[in-house]
């Protein structure tokens, strides 16, 4: 075995952007072609990130790098980097001794939690976005839940970041598990309150309200997994939701079935 250590110097303000880029492009592409991520660490000042990868030998590493450079995901990563601008200040890599044991083992999160929102305006139109990385379809705005966030906080933040809209939530309409990717999505229904609609740099290329019906949904939302959850939200059957802390117990929020909340 050989171990490749990749070190990135970054602007601390770009940490979240870099993490998103790493987990969206760098990590899955290496994994797809047979590399193993031993570990990834961020220093206390959040200006340096170190990732250690494991390969069978140098020939294995070189073969993986060649496949990655020719991959569609790598092309998408390059386009995203152009849109984002400076992702890191500098990077370097070296190879550790094959006899040196890896400092720790790394495991991909067993599950990723995400949220999306079926948001309507006073005219009954639905807020849809086109994501740069899924340009073939429109979809409801949303994204991953960050550490320490409640689901409600996450959906408010994601909708605001992606579209500029401030919304009032009504309830949860469904839970959807992507077993292949290990992603579970919770869908909220809500109503537009304020904010000027706009796209988000490197995330959304289109943002607008439009009439959405069972008759025209196929023309707008082309991916089946997005279509199903949208149709469920149209004819909502709301689910109870509760957020809390323990040690000591503290109820943060609760929504009962068909009970509106902000």
């Amino acid at each position: 075995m050989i171990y490749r250590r990749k070190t990135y110097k970054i602007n601390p303000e770009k940490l979240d952007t870099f993490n998103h880029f790493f987990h969206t492009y760098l990590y899955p592409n290496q994994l797809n072609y047979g590399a193993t991520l031993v570990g990834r660490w961020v220093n206390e000042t959040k200006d340096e990130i170190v990732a250690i990868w494991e390969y069978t030998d140098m020939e294995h590493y070189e073969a993986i790098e060649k496949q990655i450079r020719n991959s569609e995901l790598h092309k998408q990563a390059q386009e995203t980097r152009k849109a984002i601008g400076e992702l890191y200040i500098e990077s370097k890599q070296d190879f550790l001794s094959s006899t040196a044991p890896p400092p720790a083992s790394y495991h991909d999160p067993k599950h990723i939690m995400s949220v999306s929102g079926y948001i309507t305006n006073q005219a009954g139109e639905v807020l849809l976005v086109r994501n740069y990385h899924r340009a073939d379809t429109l979809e409801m705005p949303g994204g991953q839940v960050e550490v320490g966030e409640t689901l409600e906080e996450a959906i408010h933040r994601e909708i605001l970041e992606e579209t500029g809209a401030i919304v009032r939530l009504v309830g949860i309409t469904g839970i959807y598990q992507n077993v292949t990717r290990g992603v579970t999505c919770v869908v909220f229904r809500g109503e537009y309150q304020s904010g000027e609609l706009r796209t988000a740099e490197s995330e959304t290329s289109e943002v607008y309200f439009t009439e959405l019906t069972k008759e025209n949904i196929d023309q707008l939302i082309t991916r089946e997994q997005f279509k199903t959850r949208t149709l469920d939200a149209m004819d909502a059957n709301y689910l109870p939701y509760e957020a809390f802390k323990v040690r000591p117990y503290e109820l943060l929020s609760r929504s009962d079935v068909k009970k509106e909340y902000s």
Side-chain angles (χ1 to χ4, degrees):
M1 294 293 178
I2 64 168
Y3 300 97
R4 178 173 66 104
R5 178 170 54 195
K6 185 81 172 185
T7 304
Y8 302 89
K9 290 287 186 181
I10 69 167
N11 183 329
E13 295 178 356
K14 290 287 188 75
L15 178 60
D16 289 341
T17 302
F18 182 91
N19 285 340
H20 182 268
F21 185 86
F22 182 91
H23 286 292
T24 303
Y25 301 107
L26 303 185
Y27 177 67
N29 226 0
Q30 289 282 339
L31 205 66
N32 285 343
Y33 295 109
T36 299
L37 181 61
V38 175
R40 197 174 75 100
W41 300 268
V42 181
N43 65 356
E44 291 185 2
T45 54
K46 298 182 179 180
D47 62 358
E48 183 178 275
I49 298 173
V50 177
I52 296 182
W53 300 90
E54 179 184 279
Y55 308 88
T56 305
D57 50 33
M58 185 59 71
E59 185 178 351
H60 182 218
Y61 159 70
E62 291 173 350
I64 288 176
E65 287 298 300
K66 183 177 180 180
Q67 289 173 303
I68 286 175
R69 285 193 294 271
N70 294 324
S71 70
E72 183 62 32
L73 193 58
H74 180 70
K75 295 177 184 177
Q76 294 175 10
Q78 296 299 102
E79 292 173 1
T80 299
R81 283 195 61 183
K82 290 180 182 178
I84 292 174
E86 184 184 78
L87 189 61
Y88 50 83
I89 299 170
E90 64 177 10
S91 68
K92 63 179 181 178
Q93 72 176 25
D94 57 349
F95 290 87
L96 308 178
S97 168
S98 61
T99 59
S105 59
Y106 178 88
H107 300 283
D108 194 28
K110 293 183 178 179
H111 295 285
I112 296 172
M113 183 64 68
S114 67
V115 289
S116 61
Y118 184 94
I119 307 301
T120 57
N121 60 15
Q122 290 185 340
E125 298 171 321
V126 179
L127 180 61
L128 296 178
V129 305
R130 190 179 302 278
N131 193 293
Y132 273 113
H133 315 305
R134 294 183 291 272
D136 61 301
T137 184
L138 290 164
E139 61 190 271
M140 295 180 287
Q144 290 187 18
V145 180
E146 295 182 354
V147 176
E149 278 188 319
T150 66
L151 299 180
E152 294 168 273
E153 291 170 340
I155 189 59
H156 279 295
R157 174 184 56 76
E158 283 289 346
I159 291 176
L160 181 61
E161 288 178 356
E162 287 194 353
T163 72
I166 296 172
V167 303
R168 183 180 68 85
L169 300 177
V170 176
I172 290 174
T173 61
I175 301 171
Y176 306 85
Q177 184 180 12
N178 181 336
V179 177
T180 303
R181 294 287 187 180
V183 179
T184 298
C185 180
V186 177
V187 177
F188 285 81
R189 181 159 175 158
E191 298 171 351
Y192 170 78
Q193 295 292 289
S194 62
E196 184 176 347
L197 295 188
R198 45 111 182 110
T199 57
E201 183 178 356
S202 78
E203 285 195 58
T204 50
S205 59
E206 294 181 63
V207 173
Y208 57 87
F209 279 102
T210 186
E211 180 182 7
L212 186 64
T213 66
K214 294 176 182 178
E215 288 69 36
N216 73 358
I217 191 170
D218 288 337
Q219 302 168 28
L220 300 171
I221 302 177
T222 60
R223 296 200 184 190
E224 288 299 324
Q225 67 269 33
F226 297 149
K227 191 185 309 178
T228 300
R229 64 190 68 173
T230 306
L231 288 170
D232 289 342
M234 281 185 186
D235 300 319
N237 292 309
Y238 296 110
L239 306 175
Y241 165 69
E242 186 173 287
F244 59 89
K245 293 180 178 180
V246 295
R247 300 190 185 95
Y249 173 80
E250 179 187 356
L251 178 64
L252 299 177
S253 64
R254 177 174 172 82
S255 168
D256 293 317
V257 179
K258 296 184 179 179
K259 178 180 178 181
E260 295 189 353
Y261 60 99
S262 300

